[in-house]
Amino acid sequence: MFIDFETFQTRADKLRALMDEACVAVGRRPAEVQLMPVTKNHPVAAADYVVRYGLPADGETRVQEAEEKRAACTGPLRWELIG
């Protein structure tokens, strides 16, 4: 089941808060750590959520899937191959 943007936003906000807490706990500035969602096996709308949320990059493990999403994505997004 694919989620709506509001659910994505809520989950990303909670994750960002946890990341910030972890950074503070180890004496690191939260601004030094970046959240990068992975949209593997999700529709192109997931990549559009990443753009809409304001994140600069999306991770993919398959070149073919990344190419298809990149062509259909409506906003500026850096594509990262992860493995």
Side-chain angles (χ1 to χ4, degrees), residues 24-64:
V24 170
V26 298
R28 192 165 179 188
R29 292 182 312 126
E32 296 176 328
V33 178
Q34 207 171 60
L35 174 62
M36 185 176 69
V38 175
T39 59
K40 176 182 176 180
N41 296 327
H42 292 285
V44 71
D48 288 333
Y49 287 1
V50 173
V51 172
R52 187 171 166 192
Y53 188 74
L55 296 170
D58 180 34
E60 282 291 344
T61 59
R62 296 186 180 113
V63 173
Q64 299 85 347

Side-chain angles (χ1 to χ4, degrees), residues 3-83:
I3 62 172
D4 59 23
F5 177 74
E6 289 73 25
T7 302
F8 175 90
Q9 185 175 28
T10 299
R11 291 177 182 179
D13 288 346
K14 287 179 183 177
L15 182 56
R16 185 71 243 184
L18 289 171
M19 291 170 60
D20 291 351
E21 289 175 20
C23 286
V24 170
V26 298
R28 192 165 179 188
R29 292 182 312 126
E32 296 176 328
V33 178
Q34 207 171 60
L35 174 62
M36 185 176 69
V38 175
T39 59
K40 176 182 176 180
N41 296 327
H42 292 285
V44 71
D48 288 333
Y49 287 1
V50 173
V51 172
R52 187 171 166 192
Y53 188 74
L55 296 170
D58 180 34
E60 282 291 344
T61 59
R62 296 186 180 113
V63 173
Q64 299 85 347
E65 190 171 345
E67 286 176 339
E68 290 175 18
K69 287 180 185 170
R70 184 176 181 187
C73 189
T74 61
L77 193 58
R78 187 178 71 246
W79 295 87
E80 300 280 345
L81 286 175
I82 60 172

